[in-house]
Amino acid sequence: MAATTPVSAEELEELRESFDSIDVDHNGIISAGELTALFSAPNLGLPGYRVRDIVEELTRTSNQLTFDQFTQIMCGLKSGDVAKTFRKAINKKEGLCSVAGTSEQAGTQHSYSEEEKVAFVNWINAALKSDPDCGHLLPMDASSNDLFSAVGDGIVLCKMINLSVADTIDERTINRKKLTAFTIQENLNLALNSASAIGCHVVNIGAEDLKEGRQHLVLGLLWQVIKIGLFADIELSKNEALVALLRDGESLEDLMKLSPEELLLRWVNHHLEAAGCPPVQNFSSDIKDSKAYFNLLDQVAPRGDEEGVPAITIDKRGIREVDDKKRAESMLEQADRLGCKQFVTATDVIRGNPKLNLAFVANLFNKYPALKKPENQDIDWSAIEGETREERTFRNWMNSLGVVPRVNHLYLDLDDAHVIFQLYQKIKVPVNWQKVNTPPYSERGSRMKKLENCNYAVELGRTEAKFSLVGIAGEDLNAGNRTLTLALLWQLMRRYTMNILEDLGGGQKVIDDTIVGWVNQTLSEAGKAHISSFKDSSISSSLPVVDLIDAIQPGSVRYDLMKTDDLTEKEKLNNAKYAISMARKIGARVYALPEDLVEVKPKMVMTVFACLMARGLRA
């Protein structure tokens, strides 16, 4: 059931961080066992009977908590011993530092992790050390607060976004020299809107927050950007060797349903099994003694059997070290031999910091997966398809709105309609959560419960949202029918966009012709050429988009960077990259991709002009 207590976007983000830190096995559910482990930490000093009392208090209605249930409980724990103990336990677990909040509510406190700050500083220093545009900021001192001031001009953030998802930002649009308050604001707009476009949840983060270096928001955004980059290749369509992780009796679909976190856990256990070692269930309590890491490093280290890849021998003698910290230090010395020491210190390992250990393992996987694509197996390789541009746009849009759980696979992750219900709420369609089945589902009745949800989702679309859903049934959503699922998602995204325009326009109804009319009026007032529709062939050059940007913010466009005559496909794409980045730079939250302009995809073209209209109306 959804939380009914009003929660701000900022509070919701902090609750999600807390939820993830307790959910050590990353299955989207907090178990009573995970709560017990949280409160039994030695540094809390709680007696056993008190731990039992607190866990019973928190699990009165269910011995497993979904994120919605967790949010309800936390919102109900505004004061009292349990509330204070819960917050203290989470802060201790994450090694958090408290800082004064900036909200209007007196006494607001926010927390950030010193360990995360150090890890991110070291990662950024290494990643951008050769970038001349960052020379005035790097290297940062990990022991200071350099990071929080370094993000203030937007350059480092833009560079990190491009490292995670190449070519998201056309670097011609980044302001680099003689920065002023205005050009810094543009860089931060560009960074935030680009982060949103790759699926970061930035609803509660503004340019002012970054300019002022608000610690918890800076670290939250950086973690999202870094994680997207770390997870980029941890999926079947980009790494078919992951099929080696299939278990007996499983299908490709079973493997494709796994999140990147689940795939990483299975990858670790695949190598631990080969080493004759027991499996791990999480990247926190199960890796604290470093023994699993020693064996994992030994398994993935190059053996010298690949041409041009020299052997690297892992010295496992440190595994016999009695002291946990010394054992962790010895393990990290071996990880450093592979160039994979990033993200964790020995203290992070023995504390079981789940976020940083996850990053450590993901980085190790990306460098040394040590998997071979199975041969002579009855596998339908054609079933492993990468997502289309349209699918990626919808997925990133949903994730940027903060849906829970995060959508990794568009169709598989929508099969119980929970994300669809959250999107309905975003477009002001009321959802009766009493009618919604919530996970975890029993194995026996799982499909029926999910199907009931999907039927209700289609019913809401028809009756409340007034969508055109001819031929779409709940079964189609549950089964992941591509065409019909995309039809619903497009109408959700379209309504979301139109709602923004209607709110800015005082409630006046907005249709496609309204947007075209506003675009042409704005272009006409600036002495620029019109478009006939969202199918106008001139859009392929991106000039109408760039002209509109210049009309909204005169003088912002560098026309010397645009090609205008006898355009090749490459020149069209370069124009489109510039146009999309410029739209984001002036404050338009554009999700479409440059290729959508080049190919004149009417739906995505509409969203570009609609987002620019929203920016124009705010001026």
Side-chain angles (χ1 to χ4, degrees), residues 415-462:
D415 70 346
D416 69 350
H418 252 264
V419 167
I420 301 294
F421 292 132
Q422 294 171 61
L423 295 175
Y424 277 136
Q425 289 190 308
K426 300 288 185 186
I427 63 168
K428 304 173 186 176
V429 170
V431 175
N432 180 359
W433 288 94
Q434 297 285 352
K435 297 178 66 172
V436 176
N437 300 311
T438 57
Y441 308 104
S442 64
E443 189 172 336
R444 191 171 181 180
S446 172
R447 186 178 180 281
M448 183 58 67
K449 294 291 185 185
K450 292 179 178 181
L451 189 55
E452 288 173 356
N453 283 355
C454 291
N455 287 334
Y456 179 43
V458 172
E459 177 192 331
L460 278 178
R462 288 201 179 102

Side-chain angles (χ1 to χ4, degrees), residues 400-510:
S400 76
L401 296 179
V403 296
V404 178
R406 184 175 179 84
V407 178
N408 296 300
H409 310 290
L410 193 62
Y411 307 105
L412 298 174
D413 291 350
L414 301 183
D415 70 346
D416 69 350
H418 252 264
V419 167
I420 301 294
F421 292 132
Q422 294 171 61
L423 295 175
Y424 277 136
Q425 289 190 308
K426 300 288 185 186
I427 63 168
K428 304 173 186 176
V429 170
V431 175
N432 180 359
W433 288 94
Q434 297 285 352
K435 297 178 66 172
V436 176
N437 300 311
T438 57
Y441 308 104
S442 64
E443 189 172 336
R444 191 171 181 180
S446 172
R447 186 178 180 281
M448 183 58 67
K449 294 291 185 185
K450 292 179 178 181
L451 189 55
E452 288 173 356
N453 283 355
C454 291
N455 287 334
Y456 179 43
V458 172
E459 177 192 331
L460 278 178
R462 288 201 179 102
T463 60
E464 297 291 337
K466 308 300 182 186
F467 288 162
S468 173
L469 299 177
V470 178
I472 301 180
E475 172 67 31
D476 299 309
L477 286 183
N478 180 253
N481 181 299
R482 293 192 170 209
T483 301
L484 300 180
T485 301
L486 289 174
L488 173 58
L489 291 177
W490 163 243
Q491 292 181 77
L492 283 161
M493 187 178 190
R494 175 186 169 82
R495 179 69 58 81
Y496 178 81
T497 306
M498 296 302 191
N499 281 356
I500 292 173
L501 293 176
E502 288 170 9
D503 288 345
L504 290 169
Q508 182 179 351
K509 185 173 177 58
V510 176

Side-chain angles (χ1 to χ4, degrees), residues 28 50 56 126 204 234 298 316 360 387-388 519 523 550 593:
R50 187 69 183 119
E56 286 175 8
N204 62 323
I234 307 176
D298 186 52
K316 292 176 62 180
F360 171 75
E387 63 185 352
T388 65
V519 168
L523 288 171
D550 196 61
L593 298 167

Side-chain angles (χ1 to χ4, degrees), residues 5 34 72 147 243 248 258 282 288 408 429 433 606 609:
T5 306
E34 286 169 329
Q72 281 187 314
L147 174 63
V243 171
D248 290 343
L258 299 181
N282 54 61
K288 287 182 177 182
N408 296 300
V429 170
W433 288 94
M606 185 281 282
F609 283 116

Side-chain angles (χ1 to χ4, degrees), residues 282-356:
N282 54 61
F283 295 125
S284 54
S285 59
D286 283 8
I287 52 79
K288 287 182 177 182
D289 64 6
S290 302
K291 293 178 181 178
Y293 280 161
F294 263 114
N295 288 301
L296 176 62
L297 293 171
D298 186 52
Q299 285 294 307
V300 304
R303 299 288 192 259
D305 50 5
E306 284 186 52
E307 189 176 344
V309 182
I312 300 176
T313 302
I314 299 299
D315 183 351
K316 292 176 62 180
R317 287 177 295 177
I319 204 170
R320 296 192 293 271
E321 175 63 57
V322 176
D323 181 77
D324 283 347
K325 188 170 183 181
K326 289 181 179 178
R327 191 185 314 115
E329 289 169 347
S330 177
M331 179 275 295
L332 288 174
E333 287 175 8
Q334 300 309 306
D336 198 28
R337 299 189 67 199
L338 296 175
C340 296
K341 189 181 176 181
Q342 293 90 337
F343 290 110
V344 292
T345 63
T347 301
D348 298 325
V349 175
I350 64 175
R351 280 185 179 174
N353 184 309
K355 185 180 292 184
L356 297 183

Side-chain angles (χ1 to χ4, degrees), residues 28 39 52 62 198 226 235 283 351 375 379 400 433 461 594:
F39 292 111
R52 288 191 296 275
S62 172
I198 65 171
I226 290 169
E235 59 115 347
F283 295 125
R351 280 185 179 174
E375 303 290 344
I379 293 173
S400 76
W433 288 94

Side-chain angles (χ1 to χ4, degrees), residues 11 14-15 17-19 21 38-39 44 70 74 77 81-94 96 98 109-111:
E11 288 173 328
E14 290 190 356
L15 285 171
E17 288 280 327
S18 297
F19 182 88
S21 74
L38 176 73
F39 292 111
L44 279 179
F70 174 76
M74 289 299 288
L77 294 177
D81 290 343
V82 173
K84 292 172 185 174
T85 305
F86 208 169
R87 175 51 56 197
K88 180 182 177 183
I90 293 170
N91 285 1
K92 291 268 190 183
K93 179 180 179 62
E94 298 176 345
L96 299 179
S98 292
Q109 287 275 311
H110 298 297
S111 301

